[in-house]
Amino acid sequence: MFDYKLLSALAAVVEQAGFERAALALGLSQSAVSQRIKLLEARVGQPVLVRATPPQPTDLGRRLLNHVQQVRLLERDLRGQVPALDEGDQPERLRIAINADSLATWWAQAVAGFCTERQVLLDLVVEDQAVGLKRMRAGEVAACVCAVERPVAGARSIALGAMRYRALASPGFIARHFPAGVTPEALARSPAIVFGPDDYLQHRYLESQGIEGTFSHHLCPSSEGFVQLTSRGLGWGLVPELQVVDELASGELVELLPGRSLDVPLYWHHWRNGGELLAELTGQLVATAAKLLVP
């Protein structure tokens, strides 16, 4: 039989990125959390954590974390069906990995009503859309929004639509760097803005113009900051169309090559045995995304 106090300690250490914060979350001493992890490892006969900074689950640890995620959701369903089991717990906290651009655009509209009605608290882990699925694979989240279609074992993947990105810059930036028009050569010489080391949208856009290799760029790991830097003329970048409707209408931002957008597909991944809560959230996301994203 599983000892869920031990599994909860494992989940807390991974989710809180350390033993000290896990102890605070569980209301235990750091020593007590460490002892629970050691006892769990003694019972399963192998390590469940790599003692790094932050601690990382082993292959077995990931399988146990995936199990914990699903049990939590199924327990919520059971408490709703059997009122005697409801001990007045805090609202359910749903841990989800999501890309920053979705968070800055359509996500809030999609989940606000659902979270209010179902009394759900969100614990959002921001990851680039190209790598968000690694959080599910590690057992850290119950669901994720990412650009990868193939789900991990035990999960389902549903297409939500696509985010349309446009290559934009301020009028002043265009006047300085493209006085003779936006050519591949001039584009290769002008500074770009890149979200982070896992963001390859600008690379893909340049490759579509026949430009390969390295290029000068700013790193800005913030969707809102990305738009601000672009608007202030620090560089050009691929920006979600949904995020800059007003800036495009006012002329604050201008498309470098009109009509040459880049669409990034988004998929919603969730555990198959995630219970009613994840099933309802999935339906809500699919319905809202159909209205806001590119088919």
Side-chain angles (χ1 to χ4, degrees), residues 233-253:
L234 272 75
W236 68 273
L238 272 295
V239 184
E241 187 178 64
L242 284 173
Q243 194 177 1
V244 289
V245 174
D246 292 340
E247 288 83 352
L248 287 172
S250 67
E252 182 179 343
L253 289 173

Side-chain angles (χ1 to χ4, degrees), residues 7 24-25 36 55 60 63 75 77 117 122 126 142 148 174 182 204 206 213 216 218 227 253 276:
L7 293 179
L24 291 173
R36 289 187 180 187
L60 175 60
R63 292 197 293 271
E75 283 182 347
D77 292 347
E117 180 181 346
L122 296 179
V126 178
V148 180
I174 292 175
V182 181
R204 289 169 55 189
L206 288 173
S216 62
H218 304 279
V227 173
L253 289 173
E276 296 177 3

Side-chain angles (χ1 to χ4, degrees), residues 176-193:
R176 289 196 307 275
H177 292 274
F178 308 109
V182 181
T183 63
E185 295 75 19
L187 196 59
R189 292 193 302 267
S190 62
I193 302 174

Side-chain angles (χ1 to χ4, degrees), residues 123-141:
D123 186 355
L124 298 176
V125 179
V126 178
E127 284 282 11
D128 188 85
Q129 63 262 22
V131 297
L133 197 60
K134 72 179 182 181
R135 294 285 190 169
M136 280 198 74
R137 188 174 293 110
E140 297 177 45
V141 298

Side-chain angles (χ1 to χ4, degrees), residues 9-284:
L10 172 63
V13 170
V14 174
E15 292 171 0
Q16 300 298 323
F19 284 82
E20 184 176 353
R21 285 189 288 185
L24 291 173
L26 294 173
L28 300 171
S29 68
Q30 188 171 335
S31 175
V33 173
S34 181
Q35 287 300 317
R36 289 187 180 187
I37 297 298
K38 290 179 181 178
L39 181 55
L40 176 61
E41 291 179 327
R43 290 189 178 181
V44 300
Q46 57 183 289
V48 297
L49 280 176
V50 176
R51 268 67 169 182
T53 305
Q56 298 295 322
T58 62
D59 288 341
L60 175 60
R62 282 192 287 270
R63 292 197 293 271
L64 293 174
L65 287 168
N66 293 343
H67 175 75
V68 171
Q69 289 281 353
Q70 295 173 67
V71 166
R72 287 174 176 172
L73 292 163
L74 293 174
E75 283 182 347
R76 177 190 171 93
D77 292 347
L78 189 58
R79 289 197 302 269
Q81 296 163 8
V82 186
L85 296 177
D86 191 346
E87 300 176 350
D89 294 338
Q90 292 294 319
E92 185 69 30
R93 182 172 291 276
L94 199 55
R95 191 171 170 85
I96 296 171
I98 183 172
N99 62 306
D101 288 341
S102 288
L103 185 58
T105 53
W106 62 273
W107 176 258
Q109 183 175 341
V111 302
F114 173 85
C115 291
T116 300
E117 180 181 346
R118 296 302 305 269
Q119 296 185 323
V120 173
L121 299 176
L122 296 179
D123 186 355
L124 298 176
V125 179
V126 178
E127 284 282 11
D128 188 85
Q129 63 262 22
V131 297
L133 197 60
K134 72 179 182 181
R135 294 285 190 169
M136 280 198 74
R137 188 174 293 110
E140 297 177 45
V141 298
C144 79
V145 176
C146 72
V148 180
E149 180 178 9
R150 185 176 180 179
V152 299
R156 286 178 176 162
S157 168
I158 298 176
L160 295 174
M163 290 274 283
R164 176 157 290 170
Y165 288 79
R166 297 193 180 278
L168 307 178
S170 70
F173 182 89
I174 292 175
R176 289 196 307 275
H177 292 274
F178 308 109
V182 181
T183 63
E185 295 75 19
L187 196 59
R189 292 193 302 267
S190 62
I193 302 174
V194 174
F195 185 86
D198 295 313
D199 175 17
Y200 291 98
L201 289 183
Q202 282 68 217
H203 301 70
R204 289 169 55 189
Y205 189 82
L206 288 173
E207 288 172 1
S208 73
Q209 305 305 313
I211 303 167
E212 297 184 0
T214 60
F215 57 95
S216 62
H217 60 273
H218 304 279
L219 284 176
C220 178
S222 162
S223 290
E224 292 78 8
F226 197 105
V227 173
Q228 288 294 320
L229 294 185
T230 309
S231 297
R232 297 295 180 178
L234 272 75
W236 68 273
L238 272 295
V239 184
E241 187 178 64
L242 284 173
Q243 194 177 1
V244 289
V245 174
D246 292 340
E247 288 83 352
L248 287 172
S250 67
E252 182 179 343
L253 289 173
V254 179
E255 192 167 11
L256 295 181
L257 297 169
R260 299 188 186 180
S261 58
L262 187 64
D263 291 347
V264 176
L266 293 178
Y267 298 90
W268 169 247
H269 295 254
H270 64 96
W271 295 119
R272 289 178 181 272
N273 297 322
E276 296 177 3
L277 189 70
L278 270 183
E280 291 182 18
L281 177 57
T282 297
Q284 179 70 25

